[in-house]
Amino acid sequence: MSPVRRSRGLPAGLPPGFTVALDRSTRFVDGGRALLGGRPTRLLRLRPRARRLLGPGSRTLRVADAAGAALAEHLLASGLANPEVCGAGAAVDAPGPEECTVVVPVRDRSRSLERLLGSLPPGAPAIVVDDDSERPELLAAVAEKHGARLLRLPANLGPAGARNAGLREVATPYAAFVDSDVVLDPAAVGILLRHFADPKVVLAAPRIVGLDELMPHRKAAYSGWLVRYESARSSLDLGPRAAAVRPGTPVSWVPSACLVARVEALRGLGGFAAEMRVGEDVDLCWRVDAAGGRIRYEPAARAGHDHRAALSAWFARKAYYGTGAQPLGARHGGHIAPAAMSPWTAGLVLALFAQRRWSAPAAAGLWAVATWRIARRLRPLDHPVREAVRLSTAGTVSALAQGGALLTRHWWPATAVGCALGSRRVRRAAALAAVADVALEYRPGRMRGLDPVRYAVARRLDDIAYGGGVWLSVLRGRDLTALRPRVVVNGAEKRS
């Protein structure tokens, strides 16, 4: 792997008028003298001037001077706050859609391309990169109809290589990379461009939803049970909460199905990894982060994805996603770990999975010690024990969920062997993990008529396909990095 280079074209300093809002998980504690939140969780003590800038009980900060800019920057960097691009912060001068070229890599999907180009704002600059189609004349006709520039490649380079070819031709400061099986909400690109008022932002991505959400008149065409499952639990849908994108956090990457980028910075990083046919979006996100750039996930912007409805094609695509694990592990090491736990949560999970008489007392003891240690760090607060219990309990739930996912998703071939060999402990753990996963994830109002049984079947098939792809990549690459959990130790307190 080539060494990571610092991104070029990233001036420092948030502009006047830029507004940040505290994340939903961030709370005022100690009578408003500190903030608790972020991913990983941290305690930020507020000096008197910082408290005045935020204002009593206020959850937003509008940059008006250097001190406000410094505080807003610290809140963003620590994950305690997010840019407010649909409220007051939207008033800040941000790039317009005319400053962003849409780049579409495509191969023999003329109908999908027609649908996508039809969803773009009139006059939006667009480059269609024909990645060696068998019927190039069909793509050429669609591109000409919508006034898009056509770039035909003499050989198939794959999505990453096609995007890089388009990137070289972009003359605007920003580029939106959009796959041909996507439809854009009319406001999506404009919302994402507002994030670039922050000069450190290199990438911004929308929420990927089912195509039927943006094309309600075609709901009947997207009514199969797999499509309903994907609409509720798509690998590309990263949820309803805005977030900073960083390795090891709940939103550790964003899909390249739709991605807006700062062109100069992206070129400085060498663009997408052309040799990667899968996982190139994850690789790009982690390289941007390592180079000091910032990535934003913005669910207020939406793009509709044409989910696969046929079981064989859907299963194959899930397995294909999994095959990117080993190459990512070779490039980025522990970032690809299937689980990341602190030492005490890892010990707690192992104790419970052992299913011995001492397991519950040992787990309770680890939880109690961890709670005591967290309370000691939070001792200056008004209610350190209460806050410590909240944090240690959340850590326990997260660790158990990750442990269950190891059994049913990333390590399922090993789990299946254990079950086949007659291990009652493995069987009990796997059954409990599978049932708990469905019980925690299934929400009738979100499933659009998908019953619990079919949801459970789709969930397990999803896990089998993806986990199978991971193991296939590990065996091919003879590298276990993508299967090894990571134990992390996080700091607890900073001051601003």
Side-chain angles (χ1 to χ4, degrees):
M1 176 184 173
S2 59
V4 173
R5 291 175 288 176
R6 282 275 161 187
S7 295
R8 299 197 297 264
L10 292 179
L14 296 172
F18 192 89
T19 301
V20 300
L22 295 181
D23 187 76
R24 190 168 62 184
S25 65
T26 302
R27 297 181 293 115
F28 283 98
V29 294
D30 200 26
R33 293 186 292 272
L35 294 172
L36 187 65
R39 301 291 179 93
T41 302
R42 66 192 70 204
L43 176 68
L44 178 66
R45 298 190 176 284
L46 299 172
R47 293 190 174 99
R49 187 174 186 182
R51 294 201 296 270
R52 288 195 299 270
L53 287 171
L54 272 173
S58 173
R59 297 189 62 85
T60 60
L61 169 65
R62 189 175 179 86
V63 173
D65 53 23
L71 178 57
E73 170 66 30
H74 193 73
L75 293 173
L76 290 175
S78 59
L80 292 165
N82 302 305
E84 193 174 77
V85 295
C86 293
V92 174
D93 288 339
E98 70 282 355
E99 298 181 75
C100 181
T101 300
V102 178
V103 176
V104 185
V106 61
R107 187 169 194 248
D108 290 318
R109 284 181 173 179
S110 57
R111 291 184 179 178
S112 296
L113 179 65
E114 171 86 43
R115 186 178 58 201
L116 166 60
L117 294 181
S119 73
L120 300 181
I127 298 175
V128 174
V129 183
D130 179 355
D131 195 15
D132 191 29
S133 295
E134 295 181 1
R135 298 287 304 277
E137 69 279 3
L138 298 180
L139 295 184
V142 173
E144 182 180 8
K145 174 183 175 181
H146 292 275
R149 178 184 172 189
L150 180 67
L151 176 63
R152 175 160 168 76
L153 303 181
N156 179 255
L157 301 182
R163 293 187 193 106
N164 286 342
L167 176 64
R168 288 190 289 269
E169 301 298 317
V170 171
T172 53
Y174 306 94
F177 298 94
V178 187
D179 286 355
S180 60
D181 56 356
V182 166
V183 168
L184 291 177
D185 184 278
V189 172
I191 292 174
L192 294 176
L193 285 172
R194 295 172 195 162
H195 279 286
F196 292 89
D198 175 355
K200 290 187 177 180
V201 169
V202 176
L203 301 174
R207 183 178 185 183
I208 305 295
V209 298
L211 196 63
D212 59 303
E213 290 197 30
L214 298 189
M215 303 180 71
H217 59 287
R218 298 191 62 185
K219 275 188 181 293
Y222 304 101
S223 59
W225 67 285
L226 276 180
V227 174
R228 296 202 299 275
Y229 170 79
E230 280 295 289
S231 295
R233 199 63 173 75
S234 170
S235 304
L236 304 181
D237 186 351
L238 303 180
R241 295 177 59 177
V245 180
R246 302 204 65 181
T249 67
V251 182
S252 62
W253 64 285
V254 286
S256 54
C258 184
L259 199 62
V260 176
R262 192 183 299 270
V263 168
E264 184 180 358
L266 187 57
R267 286 173 177 164
L269 286 168
F272 295 83
E275 66 276 18
M276 298 185 73
R277 293 274 176 151
V278 61
E280 79 287 349
D281 40 16
V282 184
D283 170 75
L284 176 63
C285 290
W286 293 349
R287 284 191 290 121
V288 168
D289 179 75
R294 192 170 281 157
I295 309 168
R296 298 301 316 182
Y297 169 63
E298 181 51 69
R302 298 190 307 162
H305 184 259
D306 192 0
H307 297 315
R308 287 167 171 78
L311 178 59
S312 58
W314 174 85
F315 191 88
R317 175 54 54 169
K318 295 288 184 176
Y320 185 60
Y321 288 157
T323 61
Q326 187 277 326
L328 287 169
R331 286 169 166 261
H332 301 282
H335 286 342
I336 194 60
M341 304 181 193
S342 63
W344 74 267
T345 53
L348 184 149
V349 169
L350 288 174
L352 291 178
F353 279 11
Q355 301 176 49
R356 304 286 185 177
R357 291 183 178 179
W358 50 264
S359 293
L366 285 168
W367 177 85
V369 170
T371 302
W372 174 74
R373 294 185 64 182
I374 295 171
R376 286 188 63 192
R377 295 180 186 178
L378 303 179
R379 190 159 37 193
L381 300 186
D382 291 336
H383 304 284
V385 175
R386 184 174 65 189
E387 297 295 346
V389 168
R390 186 196 301 265
L391 293 174
S392 61
T393 301
T396 298
V397 172
S398 174
L400 290 174
Q402 291 185 74
L406 288 176
L407 291 176
T408 59
R409 187 170 177 86
H410 303 91
W411 292 355
W412 75 258
T415 302
V417 170
C419 292
L421 293 177
S423 171
R424 286 181 294 179
R425 290 189 178 90
V426 173
R427 289 175 178 174
R428 280 196 298 263
L432 180 60
V435 172
D437 173 54
V438 173
L440 291 173
E441 292 284 342
Y442 185 81
R443 297 290 183 274
R446 200 180 67 184
M447 297 301 156
R448 302 182 185 184
L450 186 64
D451 60 84
V453 174
R454 281 187 288 187
Y455 176 81
V457 170
R459 186 80 177 111
R460 297 287 72 83
L461 289 175
D462 189 339
D463 288 346
I464 290 171
Y466 180 82
V470 172
W471 278 70
L472 180 61
S473 73
V474 164
L475 293 174
R476 285 174 177 171
R478 298 181 181 181
D479 178 8
L480 296 176
T481 302
L483 292 175
R484 286 198 295 263
R486 186 161 55 101
V487 176
V488 295
V489 180
N490 297 316
E493 182 173 334
K494 291 188 178 181
R495 179 178 291 272
S496 177

